[in-house]
Amino acid sequence: FETGSGTSTGQKYIVGIDDNGIRNGVDNVEYIIDYTSVGYETSPDLVAAVIGENGRDGTWARGSGTFSNTSQGVFAEEDQEKDPERSHVSEPIAWVAFESCSDLIQATSMPSAMPS
């Protein structure tokens, strides 16, 4: 995916990558994915991932509870293998939001004839 927004098979989508520079661990502040510009009527289907390796503990993206037709909150969920705290440094987050129940496969037509 490339960052940006548009429609596919008539369904709205938006793709983003961002690092807000704020500690986004569960013990910190949630990262807010803002997709107000797309104009979803209901909460979209969203996939998010931590795409960095900052800090010494592993992380993955986890929803924070904030979820609406304009935004989704995400934490950099940190493992607790070596310590009990879940504070984490800022991480870049990649995400994509599609209108709820979108078909992610866009049909394309095959060429009518093979090139000679």
Side-chain angles (χ1 to χ4, degrees), residues 18-24 31 89-91:
D18 191 29
D19 184 348
N20 65 0
I22 299 171
R23 298 172 66 90
N24 297 120
Y31 171 79
V89 298
S90 179
E91 291 282 5

Side-chain angles (χ1 to χ4, degrees), residues 53-75:
E53 296 181 14
N54 299 333
R56 58 187 184 140
D57 295 312
T59 60
W60 54 93
R62 172 176 82 77
S64 68
T66 301
F67 189 39
S68 71
N69 65 322
T70 60
S71 64
Q72 164 74 55
V74 177
F75 287 123

Side-chain angles (χ1 to χ4, degrees), residues 37-93:
S37 64
V38 179
Y40 292 120
E41 292 181 24
T42 61
S43 298
D45 294 332
L46 185 123
V47 178
V50 172
I51 59 169
E53 296 181 14
N54 299 333
R56 58 187 184 140
D57 295 312
T59 60
W60 54 93
R62 172 176 82 77
S64 68
T66 301
F67 189 39
S68 71
N69 65 322
T70 60
S71 64
Q72 164 74 55
V74 177
F75 287 123
E77 175 83 59
E78 183 177 289
D79 70 51
Q80 294 178 295
E81 280 297 310
K82 299 192 183 208
D83 55 40
E85 55 81 23
R86 296 182 352 190
S87 179
H88 196 75
V89 298
S90 179
E91 291 282 5
I93 307 254

